[in-house]
Amino acid sequence: MKRQIIDKIKQYDTIILHRHVRPDPDAYGSQIGLAELIRANYPEKIVFTVGEHDDSLSFMAFPQQIDDAQFENALIIVTDTANTERIDDERYVKGDCIIKIDHHPNDDAYGDLLWVDTNASSCSEMIYELYEEGKIYAGWNMSDAAARLLFAGIVGDTGRFLFPSATSKTFEAAGQLVQYNIDRNALFDGMYEMERKLLNLQGYIYQHFVMDECGMAYIKLPTAILNQFDATPSETSLLVGSLGNVKNIRAWVMFIEENDTIRVRLRSKGPIINELAKKYKGGGHPLASGATAYSWEEADYVIEDLKAICKEYK
Ligand code: AMP
């Protein structure tokens, strides 16, 4: 499969890379990291990265604005995106050939060519693997820019190598990538430095989360609370993992009110939670998933379901 993807990259003059909405470091890392890899090895090709920019990722890179006409005869590569509804920039359908590269469960097998590896810690790790194949098969070289983005994507999706998804392969990839000219301190600052208001909100979370005897915990962040801390829904991304530090916690859910909906962000240290996410029209990984609730009453149903999962796990 990796060789078929490399053949397609060789074949097309214009390549457009997409990733998922509400991007995170692995979305940018895999999408723009692969773009940089292609640019470094095929400077004659026209390579674009699309999707709405998220300000919190400005330390990584910026996507581009392009016209519809660019999609004609283009190769489309979508990274880190499980289902078509979550592809940022729906013009991907206008391309000539679509490749899906992802590490989420393959519930929506879209694309003309698919490479899905749920054992990969991150999609950026898969792009590193593609590079390794490219090195042997097509003489690819890594660039500093690509290495920096891929490293950030791996760090982001493994929670700084803490999650069980980080395997020896992950560490090997990271070990190779840090040999390039990367300012790791600047990257880590960009990823983990928090404004004081967010640290205050983190304090609120630690003071107000609710946990039961099975290790199921939740915290609700309605608009009034977000306003109190002058925080936007997207800024809470850095706080989702915070409850993981609580002793005896097994799984947790953070509810964040956003416009007329409630974003449901689920995390776990063992119990499988992505089936629950699917029940609420979401999805994701077995230990990190998301969904949407349409009322606080529905949020309470999510809590009950998660409680049942943790009880059974215990
Ligand atoms: P998040 O809490 O947004 O960081 O998401 C954790 C994981 O769940 C990511 O890998 C997402 O791909 C997945 N995910 C989050 N929200 C949704 C959703 N509404 N539908 C499908 N997958 C989702």
Side-chain angles (χ1 to χ4, degrees):
M1 184 49 63
K2 283 178 267 183
R3 292 195 173 194
Q4 286 181 47
I5 293 173
I6 294 164
D7 286 339
K8 286 284 178 202
I9 291 172
K10 282 185 189 164
Q11 187 188 327
Y12 280 84
D13 296 331
T14 301
I15 302 169
I16 304 175
L17 295 105
H18 295 245
R19 39 77 190 163
H20 60 80
V21 292
R22 294 168 166 169
D24 54 17
D26 190 34
Y28 270 38
S30 55
Q31 176 203 24
I32 311 181
L34 177 54
E36 289 294 350
L37 207 48
I38 299 171
R39 285 180 187 127
N41 290 288
Y42 305 98
E44 72 287 0
K45 290 189 191 292
I46 299 164
V47 181
F48 295 118
T49 56
V50 295
E52 206 175 308
H53 180 59
D54 188 313
D55 244 356
S56 69
L57 298 173
S58 296
F59 72 93
M60 287 184 78
F62 292 86
Q64 295 152 305
Q65 308 275 342
I66 62 170
D67 295 334
D68 289 5
Q70 304 282 5
F71 286 83
E72 211 174 300
N73 298 321
L75 171 66
I76 305 291
I77 304 180
V78 186
T79 66
D80 198 34
T81 312
N83 46 334
T84 51
E85 293 86 65
R86 280 174 58 81
I87 300 177
D88 199 346
D89 201 332
E90 51 205 25
R91 291 179 295 173
Y92 75 91
V93 288
K94 293 180 189 283
D96 187 56
C97 172
I98 300 171
I99 300 179
K100 174 186 186 181
I101 304 179
D102 189 28
H103 71 129
H104 297 91
N106 195 15
D107 293 329
D108 179 0
Y110 65 84
D112 302 296
L113 270 184
L114 289 83
W115 177 33
V116 174
D117 180 2
T118 53
N119 293 319
S121 70
S122 50
C123 197
S124 298
E125 181 182 317
M126 293 178 71
I127 303 302
Y128 180 78
E129 229 184 291
L130 185 70
Y131 153 72
E132 288 220 303
E133 192 66 38
K135 194 165 69 171
I136 299 161
Y137 180 57
W140 282 13
N141 290 305
M142 177 61 70
S143 71
D144 291 337
R148 177 177 167 276
L149 290 160
L150 297 178
F151 180 74
I154 293 172
V155 170
D157 251 33
T158 59
R160 298 180 246 187
F161 306 102
L162 275 183
F163 304 152
S165 56
T167 63
S168 59
K169 237 166 131 178
T170 315
F171 285 97
E172 272 164 34
Q176 292 297 321
L177 290 169
V178 292
Q179 293 180 35
Y180 292 84
N181 188 16
I182 303 175
D183 185 345
R184 264 185 287 159
N185 286 340
L187 258 191
F188 291 140
D189 285 348
M191 292 174 89
Y192 299 111
E193 263 187 358
M194 272 194 258
E195 282 182 60
R196 191 175 187 138
K197 63 176 189 180
L198 285 181
L199 290 167
N200 288 336
L201 180 57
Q202 187 173 44
Y204 173 90
I205 292 169
Y206 282 136
Q207 283 187 314
H208 292 88
F209 74 94
V210 179
M211 185 158 109
D212 73 3
E213 66 288 352
C214 299
M216 180 275 168
Y218 69 88
I219 179 77
K220 293 177 178 173
L221 300 178
T223 305
I225 295 295
L226 295 176
N227 288 345
Q228 188 183 320
F229 290 93
D230 188 27
T232 61
S234 71
E235 283 176 328
T236 61
S237 294
L238 282 171
L239 305 176
V240 184
S242 306
L243 290 178
N245 296 330
V246 177
K247 196 169 170 80
N248 294 331
I249 201 164
R250 284 183 195 277
W252 63 101
V253 52
M254 189 187 242
F255 298 101
I256 303 129
E257 191 171 359
E258 188 169 19
N259 303 322
D260 293 335
T261 61
I262 300 163
R263 189 164 172 190
V264 179
R265 306 187 80 173
L266 292 146
R267 296 292 186 271
S268 170
K269 288 192 165 183
I272 303 302
I273 51 172
N274 53 350
E275 290 303 319
L276 165 59
K278 276 190 220 163
K279 185 175 163 187
Y280 293 90
K281 298 198 171 54
H285 304 284
L287 303 182
S289 311
T292 306
Y294 295 92
S295 67
W296 288 106
E297 192 188 4
E298 196 179 11
D300 288 337
Y301 290 131
V302 175
I303 293 171
E304 289 312 312
D305 285 345
L306 189 58
K307 270 187 185 164
I309 290 171
C310 289
K311 197 168 175 191
E312 202 169 307
Y313 184 79
K314 206 177 178 188

